[in-house]
Amino acid sequence: MSLEVGMGTNEGDCRVVVVGAGAGGTLVATHLVTALSSRFSVELVDPAPTTGRGQAYSTTDERHLLNVPASGMSAFPRDPEHFLRWLRTHHDPGFQPQDFAPRAVFGRYLEGLLTAASEFPGNARLVRRHADVVDVAGSGTGFVVELSDGELLEARAVVLATGSRPGTRWAPGELAADPRLVTDPWTQGIPESGDVLLLGAGLTMVDLAISADRPGRTLHVVSRTDAVPQPHVLPTTPPVSPPPGVTRTEGLDALRATLGDHVAQTVATTGDWRAAIDGLRPVTAQLWRGLSESDKRRFLTEDARRWDVHRHRMAPMTARRLGAVTDSGRLVRHRGIIAAVRPADDALHVTLDDGTEMAVAAVVNCTGPVGSITADPLLTRLARTGLVRPGPAGLGIDTADDGRVLGTLPATRPFLAVGSLRRGNLWESTAMPEIREQAYDVARSVARALHGESRRRPVDPYGLTLSTDRRAARRYNAALGRLLRLQDGAEEGLRQAVEADPGFVQAHAALALLGHEWGTNTHWRASLRAAHRAAAGRHLDDRESSFLDAVTTRLRSDEPTGAAALLRHVRLFPRDALAVSVAVPTVAFGGLTSGAQTAELVESLGRSYGDDWWYAGQLAFVRQDQERWAEAEDLSSYALSVEPASGHAVHARAHVFYETGQHSAGLAWLDEWIRTRGPEANHRSHFSWHAALHELMQDDVDAVRRRYARELAPPAVGGSRVVVDSGALLWRGRVTGAWTDDLAVTDVRAAAPEEWLVAPTTPFAAMHAAVLLAGTGDAAGLAGLAAHASASEDRVLRDVVTPLCHGLAQVVAERWNAAAATLTGVVGSMEPLGGSRAQREVVEDTLVHALAMAGRTGEAADLLDVRLSRRASALDARRRAALTKTAVRR
């Protein structure tokens, strides 16, 4: 039968057909109904009497629990607490994030979302059809969908969300023909009496064993591996990031070895293998894609079952219930396969391949869905016409990264898939965290197609949509790449992007944000206004809208409010690397977090970035701050092996060398990097500052002087860097007694941005401004900065910077005992200032100087002893010896 009919009716142009009303199809329909106006219709086609259930949530037994805590089951990617709020309103007011909800409740949740969306005035119309789709064919610019009742639906777009069907090819002929074979236990009943054989030992078996258990019955569980799902353990251990470079591992054997070592190391560190498995989630698809076709098939045969039982775990309560059935002796596990079945009136007489015999009232198929196209009549028919083709390793259907079905249809035709159909391309494509992202993205693609967008929008390096043309996107991505590598030219690249497309909202907003944060231009207000003008004429996606809102709040409100807005955006869109770059303290600026807060933020991003080289550099800096030197070195070395220009990795490695006292090696390595990569580096003076610090620690003052004149003196350095790097180095040379004459502090002061010295916006900037003011002996300037800090709403400015200014003013006035007392309190509370320990150490050096000048040599020596116990330093050793001589003379 040919389905080729005309697409001339307006109804067909405005119709989307979603095939399958399980979790994936229901979520796609929900997003579509919300995204499209009332002139469109969304037709959800599935013969099942319910909606939103599918196999996973069709159970009515409330003992069947989800295998993910409530906190991870939100249907909306950008609202992670949505399901938890719904549970507290519709199910149990006391429900906690770590609790596991019944599967049936989650099915009601999904159905309720679609119902609520369809009832909202102005949204697209929802039509629920209880029928099978038996064929789909291209027609004109759209499709014709044939239903099992004979009706033909013209449609502009089709989404396949059928899932995978259970298969029984394993069943001997005598069993396959017997009604006591329960092919689909979610739609067929299990006998109330008699023993039962459950074939398969996965999560389906677990639920059915709990339901079917009763006194006097034996449940026989038969599987090839006798491996049952592992339980969750509460409280959970946070995910551990995957090993650096794991996605570049070649071959299944090498991957097994790498992951085996990673799990063993995680167990040794955390005591829990689950943290290692959970940390692999962001790279699982990359690992799968990286395998050859033959290795994929080997994995399916040799590793898949072990992966599944560790990756897809039981709720703790479910594990206890299964344990109780097992402990009662009513559940018996067998390792093997069914060799023969002899049907009789009283029972099915089953023989396993090891000779074990049993008589059962039913054999229940718990083997799970079959991934092959041939298990599904619709997919089989579509494969014959070329609309679909098998996915890698024969799993599901072949799809592009955005869910577009790959076959004979042109890429502009909106024909997409979600869920287990994409398993061949993604491997993990059945859990809610994956399904909700797919459903959202697919619905967005369909909505754009129906609104006239025939081409896919370009994306940034992390897959985030850019609402612009490809030429402007290339310029934006080049600029973003330079930002991520910490190279010059990011702002110029963004300006080129908006020249190519004056309506490029993301680029305008990025220019505004970087201009504000870096203080390198005064045009950020104009960029923000341009972003808002452009936004009025562009249909932005959620991420772009969120970014513009966050930037606007950041730039137009006080520091705490603005920081909170940007951090919220990062939590919602963690792969927005530009926003993360501003939020996390870096070479470039102080960031919005510090200390433990920074570590928590960066570590939480691991689930989104995996072993990405840029993220590895960020994590390396956190690890060095935590004094986990070996991990920091491994991460930074990996990042540099992928991207030798990675400024974040260089920065982290420079700190590792410094904090571990490897001054000669660190200096040699840094000098070579500065020579080869430094000319392109943004904030290159900071890397020169690190090199000068090594020279200072080696007590090579002449080398410090030469480097300062060559790489750190104005006008070679300007803007904020002249304060943070040049001014801080000169003050450090002075208070350590290494460089006490001809300090060019007045030149630095003249080159410094005046607003940094009068009204710095961050505690990090204020700390360095105070140091520079002290270097020029500007007591009035320190008093003004102290007044500014004490009046601030920022607690760190009030509580840390204010006393720092007072202490430095006391140093300028040579009130040494008072200075020592004030700075002692500051040194113990500096972490929230931001930046690195090496940068904040300038305050500690000032305290040592004040104590020495006050004649309190013992206290000064004690501070240096603590530092020397941590890190070798010829300079500190000389200072320590000088203090001893002074004490002896006295």
Side-chain angles (χ1 to χ4, degrees):
M1 172 183 177
S2 172
L3 301 187
E4 194 73 32
V5 298
M7 283 293 294
T9 65
N10 184 61
E11 184 178 10
D13 286 343
C14 296
R15 178 188 285 131
V16 183
V17 173
V18 180
V19 186
T26 299
L27 280 180
V28 170
T30 300
H31 290 307
L32 284 171
V33 166
T34 303
L36 299 172
S37 66
S38 57
R39 75 185 183 93
F40 294 96
S41 69
V42 177
E43 310 222 359
L44 185 59
V45 185
D46 192 307
T50 58
T51 299
R53 302 319 200 260
Q55 289 188 340
Y57 313 117
S58 61
T59 178
T60 58
D61 190 333
E62 299 240 335
R63 293 172 297 177
H64 295 166
L65 304 180
L66 297 171
N67 62 323
V68 175
S71 58
M73 289 297 291
S74 171
F76 299 107
R78 315 306 169 212
D79 188 358
E81 295 184 352
H82 187 272
F83 179 51
L84 182 61
R85 295 197 305 272
W86 185 93
L87 280 169
R88 289 173 173 172
T89 301
H90 298 90
H91 179 64
D92 180 355
F95 217 88
Q96 296 301 307
Q98 70 274 14
D99 292 341
F100 292 77
R103 293 181 182 277
V105 170
F106 191 75
R108 293 199 296 272
Y109 165 67
L110 294 178
E111 184 176 32
L113 296 178
L114 181 57
T115 299
S118 65
E119 292 175 348
F120 194 84
N123 284 353
R125 292 170 288 118
L126 174 69
V127 179
R128 177 66 170 91
R129 294 181 181 271
H130 297 276
D132 276 310
V133 172
V134 297
D135 199 4
V136 178
S139 177
T141 59
F143 302 87
V144 175
V145 179
E146 181 183 2
L147 306 187
S148 53
D149 59 11
E151 187 169 1
L152 300 179
L153 302 177
E154 295 179 74
R156 180 73 176 279
V158 172
V159 178
L160 299 178
T162 57
S164 299
R165 301 193 179 194
T168 57
R169 289 187 178 182
W170 50 265
E174 299 87 352
L175 177 60
D178 196 289
R180 287 168 291 188
L181 170 61
V182 180
T183 304
D184 182 359
W186 303 116
T187 60
Q188 300 171 253
I190 296 175
E192 288 295 320
S193 60
D195 295 348
V196 173
L197 187 155
L198 305 173
L199 187 70
L203 291 168
T204 298
M205 177 280 293
V206 172
D207 281 346
L208 294 177
I210 291 170
S211 292
D213 175 51
R214 58 209 59 190
R217 162 178 282 178
T218 298
L219 300 171
H220 296 278
V221 177
V222 178
S223 66
R224 293 177 182 272
T225 62
D226 191 32
V228 299
Q230 294 290 313
H232 285 280
V233 172
L234 297 176
T236 58
T237 304
V240 172
S241 296
V246 67
T247 57
R248 291 165 176 81
T249 306
E250 294 186 5
L252 180 59
D253 294 328
L255 182 60
R256 284 174 178 155
T258 299
L259 295 183
D261 291 343
H262 175 57
V263 171
Q265 184 176 353
T266 301
V267 171
T269 304
T270 69
D272 189 0
W273 55 265
R274 295 165 183 82
I277 301 300
D278 293 344
L280 293 174
R281 191 163 205 154
V283 298
T284 301
Q286 288 174 271
L287 295 177
W288 174 253
R289 291 191 195 106
L291 295 176
S292 66
E293 185 72 8
S294 61
D295 274 348
K296 286 186 175 78
R297 293 183 183 275
R298 281 180 60 209
F299 176 86
L300 293 176
T301 301
E302 302 169 11
D303 303 281
R305 184 59 189 152
R306 182 167 50 151
W307 168 264
D308 284 343
V309 299
H310 289 85
R311 170 66 184 82
H312 303 284
R313 302 189 283 271
M314 293 185 280
M317 176 58 74
T318 299
R320 289 193 291 272
R321 286 169 173 159
L322 182 67
V325 178
T326 303
D327 292 344
S328 72
R330 295 193 296 272
L331 187 145
V332 180
R333 286 158 52 183
H334 307 269
R335 182 170 184 165
I337 61 174
I338 295 176
V341 177
R342 181 174 58 82
D345 291 342
D346 61 331
L348 291 168
H349 296 271
V350 179
T351 303
L352 304 184
D353 58 346
D354 65 357
T356 301
E357 297 182 352
M358 61 191 73
V360 296
V363 174
V364 182
N365 180 25
C366 302
T367 59
V370 175
S372 171
I373 282 179
T374 58
D376 187 307
L378 173 61
L379 297 180
T380 301
R381 187 160 186 173
L382 297 183
R384 284 199 297 267
T385 61
L387 265 65
V388 305
R389 64 194 186 203
L395 297 176
I397 60 176
D398 202 10
T399 58
D401 289 344
D402 61 355
R404 184 168 40 85
V405 176
L406 299 178
T408 56
L409 290 176
T412 54
R413 193 82 61 92
F415 186 38
L416 301 104
V418 298
S420 61
L421 294 178
R422 298 176 63 182
R423 200 172 183 218
N425 297 95
L426 303 174
W427 176 241
E428 287 290 340
S429 188
T430 58
M432 184 49 57
E434 284 80 28
I435 296 295
R436 66 188 175 207
E437 289 285 353
Q438 292 178 22
Y440 175 79
D441 290 342
V442 162
R444 184 173 57 182
S445 295
V446 171
R448 286 174 176 168
L450 266 62
H451 284 122
E453 284 195 34
S454 60
R455 298 181 63 185
R456 295 173 60 196
R457 295 189 189 186
V459 296
D460 77 0
Y462 294 102
L464 302 179
T465 300
L466 299 174
S467 296
T468 187
D469 59 51
R470 299 192 180 280
R471 179 164 169 260
R474 282 194 299 270
R475 294 183 176 184
Y476 176 89
N477 285 336
L480 179 57
R482 301 192 73 80
L483 173 68
L484 299 184
R485 292 190 296 271
L486 290 181
Q487 291 177 320
D488 277 335
E491 287 184 288
E492 177 57 30
L494 291 173
R495 281 191 284 270
Q496 292 175 1
V498 297
E499 287 173 6
D501 176 10
F504 193 175
V505 177
Q506 177 73 18
H508 282 301
L511 265 175
L513 181 62
L514 295 186
H516 176 270
E517 299 300 315
W518 289 354
T520 54
N521 69 66
T522 58
H523 308 304
W524 57 264
R525 292 180 179 84
S527 294
L528 184 62
R529 289 194 295 271
H532 280 277
R533 285 196 301 272
R538 285 280 165 96
H539 178 67
L540 304 179
D541 75 357
D542 290 353
R543 194 274 308 195
E544 293 168 310
S545 296
S546 174
F547 181 74
L548 179 58
D549 289 345
V551 170
T552 302
T553 304
R554 173 72 176 157
L555 273 55
R556 290 181 176 173
S557 63
D558 58 84
E559 175 66 23
T561 303
L566 201 59
L567 289 171
R568 180 180 182 275
H569 171 77
V570 169
R571 286 194 300 272
L572 293 176
F573 301 93
R575 287 179 69 83
D576 191 337
L578 191 147
V580 174
S581 293
V582 174
V584 175
T586 67
V587 176
F589 26 66
L592 308 180
T593 60
S594 62
Q597 187 185 13
T598 297
E600 181 181 359
L601 172 60
V602 173
E603 288 167 349
S604 73
L605 297 174
R607 68 194 70 174
S608 299
Y609 288 95
D611 68 345
D612 172 74
W613 65 266
W614 171 75
Y615 174 70
Q618 295 279 17
L619 185 59
F621 195 82
V622 167
R623 292 292 179 252
Q624 69 79 28
D625 203 43
Q626 296 169 330
E627 301 185 13
R628 294 160 66 171
W629 313 121
E631 292 177 61
E633 172 64 19
D634 287 346
L635 286 162
S636 58
S637 295
Y638 159 68
L640 289 166
S641 73
V642 179
E643 176 48 79
S646 172
H648 291 292
V650 173
H651 191 208
R653 198 168 193 217
H655 276 279
V656 171
F657 279 124
Y658 177 73
E659 296 294 353
T660 56
Q662 301 178 69
H663 301 302
S664 296
L667 179 59
W669 177 78
L670 260 179
D671 268 338
E672 176 63 16
W673 191 87
I674 290 170
R675 183 184 69 81
T676 57
R677 301 284 179 177
E680 282 193 287
N682 193 5
H683 308 285
R684 66 182 64 87
S685 67
H686 190 65
F687 299 111
S688 296
W689 175 84
H690 269 282
L693 211 56
H694 281 307
E695 292 165 337
L696 191 63
M697 291 303 103
Q698 292 177 304
D699 208 14
D700 190 348
V701 180
D702 288 340
V704 176
R705 288 170 178 264
R706 288 193 299 271
R707 187 177 300 274
Y708 180 84
R710 185 176 69 246
E711 301 171 15
L712 288 162
V717 179
S720 59
R721 293 261 63 111
V722 80
V723 182
V724 173
D725 297 324
S726 309
L729 179 66
L730 292 179
W731 178 253
R732 195 157 180 164
R734 173 178 166 181
V735 297
T736 59
W739 186 359
T740 56
D741 60 329
D742 69 340
L743 290 172
V745 182
T746 54
D747 295 339
V748 173
R749 170 68 183 266
E754 189 62 28
E755 63 271 19
W756 265 59
L757 304 180
V758 176
T761 57
T762 68
F764 175 82
M767 175 187 76
H768 285 88
V771 166
L772 180 55
L773 290 170
T776 58
D778 189 349
L782 284 167
L785 182 56
H788 166 76
S790 64
S792 172
E793 295 183 2
D794 187 320
R795 181 187 60 79
V796 181
L797 279 170
R798 290 197 314 272
D799 298 348
V800 183
V801 173
T802 301
L804 172 62
C805 291
H806 293 322
L808 290 174
Q810 290 158 347
V811 170
V812 169
E814 299 186 358
R815 296 172 54 207
W816 303 117
N817 276 310
T822 304
L823 294 177
T824 295
V826 173
V827 164
S829 59
M830 286 193 299
E831 188 176 274
L833 287 171
S836 66
R837 174 189 288 181
Q839 289 171 312
R840 298 190 299 267
E841 211 171 62
V842 68
V843 181
E844 186 179 272
D845 277 322
T846 307
L847 172 58
V848 171
H849 174 64
L851 287 168
M853 295 300 292
R856 295 158 63 176
T857 55
E859 294 172 70
D862 287 344
L863 284 175
L864 289 176
D865 284 341
V866 171
R867 188 185 295 182
L868 285 166
S869 69
R870 187 177 79 241
R871 178 184 66 234
S873 166
L875 173 67
D876 287 346
R878 177 175 63 77
R879 296 167 69 197
R880 177 65 175 82
L883 289 170
T884 300
K885 289 180 182 178
T886 300
V888 169
R889 285 198 300 270
R890 290 181 177 173

